[in-house]
Amino acid sequence: MSLTKVSYSMISGACANVLDFGAKGDGTTNDTAAIQAAVDSLSSNGGAVYFPAGRYKVVPPTATTGCIWVHYNNITLFGDGAASVITTGTDSSAVPIHVCSTNDLTVSPSSISTAVLNFVCHDLAVNGSGVSTYYALAYGRGILMRVVTNAIVEDCFVTNMSMIGICSEGGNGKFLINGNIVTNYFYTAINYNGRSYQSIISNNICFGSNASANSVSIQANGPCTIENNTIYGSLGDWKSTRLNSS
């Protein structure tokens, strides 16, 4: 006999299946509220949110917020690999996954005083609009972590984001970004714009930037380990970019 949603909420470190909260995963239904309910059900003790195979359409609740908002500590998002897809449709500004104590993309990380701790995302696919658009603010990022410390993003497939595939802003390092495939990004595949000490960016595959003057495949500010990543150009006029670590 399987656990019910009510039983899940009574277990520390429990697993919340997004289908139990009303998500359809059919690629057309707006699943944002259902997924958010699954995340919010773990507010007390943390735990994992599971996305079974399917296509989960998400949209920003407002013009200044991310779609799925993770603002609790000790949260894991995971699925069945490439079969579990979070998609934003045609909205090039959308941020499918926003990990931050405040869900306001217009707020500078320097103004955010509370960090989110111990975030994990693995075995998920994140799909954007496929339209290359420059956004000065924190829009158009696939997995966006703002003022997050101690995080793992592993074995995810992030594609078609208008700006950045996997992005960290602010925070205090201790990240592992490993084994991801990031393709078709306007600006950067993996951008660590924060304190990157004690962090590792490894074994990722990045290809398909627009090769603009400011485009890089992997960028990290501060001392960290960047190793065994594969960077190349593909897909018609998409071109390989340079590695920037400083």
Side-chain angles (χ1 to χ4, degrees), residues 124 126 154-159 166 178-183 189-190 203-207 232:
L124 276 176
V126 176
E154 192 166 35
D155 296 330
C156 290
F157 181 50
V158 185
T159 187
I166 300 171
N178 180 69
N180 303 285
I181 300 175
V182 187
T183 71
I190 299 170
N203 302 307
N204 302 284
I205 298 174
C206 309
F207 67 89
Y232 61 96

Side-chain angles (χ1 to χ4, degrees), residues 36-189:
Q36 191 62 53
V39 173
D40 292 343
S41 73
L42 303 173
S43 60
S44 297
N45 300 308
V49 178
Y50 171 51
F51 296 76
R55 292 183 65 84
Y56 300 90
K57 181 180 178 180
V58 293
V59 299
T62 73
T64 61
T65 59
C67 300
I68 302 169
W69 181 29
V70 178
H71 53 292
Y72 310 111
N73 297 332
N74 308 311
I75 297 294
T76 295
L77 307 181
F78 76 103
D80 294 326
S84 299
V85 183
I86 299 171
T87 180
T88 61
T90 60
D91 186 352
S92 63
S93 69
V95 175
I97 299 173
H98 184 205
V99 187
C100 186
S101 60
T102 178
N103 196 14
D104 187 342
L105 299 173
T106 67
V107 173
S108 169
S110 62
S111 300
I112 300 171
S113 59
T114 302
V116 174
L117 307 177
N118 309 326
F119 170 71
V120 178
C121 184
H122 68 88
D123 294 291
L124 276 176
V126 176
N127 185 35
S129 68
V131 177
S132 295
T133 305
Y134 177 79
Y135 293 101
L137 298 174
Y139 295 99
R141 277 77 166 159
I143 301 173
L144 173 61
M145 297 164 285
R146 307 177 80 214
V147 192
V148 176
T149 299
N150 195 20
I152 297 172
V153 179
E154 192 166 35
D155 296 330
C156 290
F157 181 50
V158 185
T159 187
N160 293 328
M161 297 312 304
S162 61
M163 278 293 291
I164 300 171
I166 300 171
C167 181
S168 172
E169 298 178 349
N172 285 305
K174 301 178 182 177
F175 273 57
L176 174 64
I177 311 297
N178 180 69
N180 303 285
I181 300 175
V182 187
T183 71
N184 296 4
Y185 44 90
F186 177 79
Y187 191 74
T188 312

